[in-house]
Amino acid sequence: MGSSVNLFLISLGYRSGGVAPIFTNAPKLKMVLPTPQALTLTNIVIDLAIVAFMLSLVILIYKRYGSLDVRDGRLKG
Amino acid sequence: MNLLLHSPILAIAIPLLCGLATPLISKFGKNVRDLWVTLGLLFTEFLVLILTYDVISNGIRIYTLGAKFPAEVVLTANFVPIRIILELDAFSVVMALTSVSISLIAFIYSLKFIKEGTAKIRYYTLFLLLVAAMVGLVFTGDLFSMFVFLELLSISSAALVAFYFHKGESLEAAFKYIVFSAVGALMVLLAIGLIYGQYGMLNIAALANVLKFSFSDKVALVLLIVAFAMKCGIVPLHMWVSDAYGEAPAPISAVLVVASQASLYVLFRISFTLFGGLPTIGIVAWFIIILGILSMVIGVSMAIIQNDIKRLIAYNAVSQVGYMLLGLGVGLAVIKNVTALNSFGLVAMEGGIFHIINDAIIMSLLFLTAGVIIYKTGTKKMDEMSGLAYEMPFTMVLFLIGALALAGLPPFNGFVSKLLIYESTFRFNPLLAIIAILVSILTLASFVKIFYSAFTGPRLREYNKVRDTPKTMLVAMLILALLTLLFGLFPNMVIDNLISPAAHALINQLKYVGGVL
Amino acid sequence: MVKKKMEEKNKNQGLSKIVKTTFFVIAVPIITFGLYVILHGHLTPGGGFAGGAIIANLTALFLITFGRNTVKKPYKEFLLLLESLALVSLILLAFLGLKSTFFYNFLANTGNIFGRAISYGINSGYLSTAGTISLMNTAVGIEVFAALSLIIIIMYTGPVGGEDN
């Protein structure tokens, strides 16, 4: 789900016929907006951290309970 | 260097720096580390205090990162402010003051509560990052840095919930919490994308100026409200609250309460300032009011049937958030109607904001007391506790203060804020006030349950080996109890100086915009 | 029985000698490319995050080729310290601009280490232009490398009580 939002963000900055928004050595055309690229980059890093954290939790849960079934956990209500 | 001038960013950067440097400083020993973290938190508290004084006397303060001088606002050709701008108004500093104060008190408590070992380095680092994230969330002036601080808040608080990771339940609770937070954050990002695609800017003040309330804006509003409602633990997205608050260490539960309130701040900032000019704002207001009522009723009903002491307090937290929503929702509903606003709308908002502060204090007191009970008896289930009044009379009195304050009895602070909410919502719609009063009675019932099973009754034999409560924990709880009494006996001092400016600042959208443009 | 013991010993010693040699050969281009991406963050796409992730690949390769048990505790401590150091230096760099505001780019447009002024128009990128951005990119790159390596090691060899983030 995170990837779809990232793609959405990048496509927001599109200008028709635009080129990559790099300042040096640029051909004299319209540039694609760079701000959503910054947003997307940050989002990718944050999602990476969250996924890493979730996966470590899952590893620990597996070690503790022996299975990954949600119903086997002791927390309910 | 003018400290006041740079305090907004320092209040965010100092906890961040201290937290990240803690693993390095801990190489020098245990006491150096404790001293370092204490100094960092005290300095942050000092900064927030002088900021509060300044903003309430002098008005809105902004700070631009990376410009030539802090109050400079660089505009492009279309009146779009560039660079990240922090904007502080009265509501922001009141929330920041609450957050940092409660965190400081919880930190004093956790000096002795968390046992020694390498885990404590992790605890302090995450704790300081959490404080930085909370202050950043309430100080920020644009949507994207709000998103970043929201994520930082989610991750550090989830890591703190999973702190005791040899128990299975904390891991499950943290997992549930972070899945909810991640989905909420994705929705926020989608909303930010929608708004940015439409207007090309992300600064809240500038957006408030140009918002046209088209269909995609309304979709963005709904997404934002739902995502932050999830973060506050409002019904029907409350499933993670009982697990997370119940399984976290006791001081962390207290700080989680304040973190949820920081998300509540964002919710109200969006509804009032960003979308305040929406023609159909009444529908949004009624939606908030209905969510508030649902949270109150469902929260307290689930609280009564609980067996575990911290989950009971956690469900009460859900219920109290309903009160805050009710107060501020009533204010939002009458925001266009000037006479009604002046007669009861402002009072409702003041009640709501005062209840935010009071709830932070009372909930922290209750969670810390529950922490002491768990520390001494080693169990969380109320079936297994009995007769603690003989062992810990002091703790019992503190718990009693917290419980009565939450139920809304005079002379405690809960009474004042709840009275403000009752009176104003009665003039708005009598049925809401009646439901609110009934919920208060049920709140009292749930605490009577704890009191009866944990404190009274025959004394169990295994309590002969109970340890003594460390002094720092008692000091922390005592400060909170004193604040409860103080705010209850002299509420005008707080309301006139802190809360009234906050409520006015929330309504006054033009002033917020004028701070930047 | 003897065969089983020998198999286990082989498994913990990692892959064959050829792969280990190739690892050393390929580590050099990876590090160079990663440093290139980090340092040119203000001129070409990439920057701190992407460059750090490239170098963190090296830890994953290391774990695969050398087996689970060759990563000892001091390495983990070193990575933790490196991570904290990099993050602290990032914020201290931001503090140094404090005579104007936070994060102020005090090295741009002066003659100092990264301070050359940007020339407009079409040119190939000059490395020493962007001021504090380059230093911050470097700090972020080191930090990302340390953090991702820690995550990979902890996930592979089991939790020790280190932090997740």
Side-chain angles (χ1 to χ4, degrees), chain B residues 6 10 24 27 63 66-68, chain C residues 77 81 95 98 100-102:
Chain B
H6 294 286
L10 281 179
L24 295 172
K27 290 294 171 196
Y63 190 93
K68 289 214 177 25
Chain C
E77 302 261 321
L81 278 178
F95 263 103
L98 204 57
S100 310
T101 42
F102 208 63

Side-chain angles (χ1 to χ4, degrees), chain B residues 98-115:
Chain B
T98 331
S99 313
V100 180
S101 312
I102 301 282
S103 308
L104 189 62
I105 296 178
F107 167 70
I108 297 177
Y109 184 88
S110 54
L111 277 173
K112 277 292 162 38
F113 184 76
I114 312 283
K115 309 199 183 17

Side-chain angles (χ1 to χ4, degrees), chain B residues 317-340:
Chain B
V318 172
S319 164
Q320 296 305 309
V321 171
Y323 273 96
M324 303 173 211
L325 282 178
L326 186 64
L328 282 157
V330 166
L332 190 62
V334 296
I335 199 171
K336 292 270 170 40
N337 184 352
V338 180
T339 53

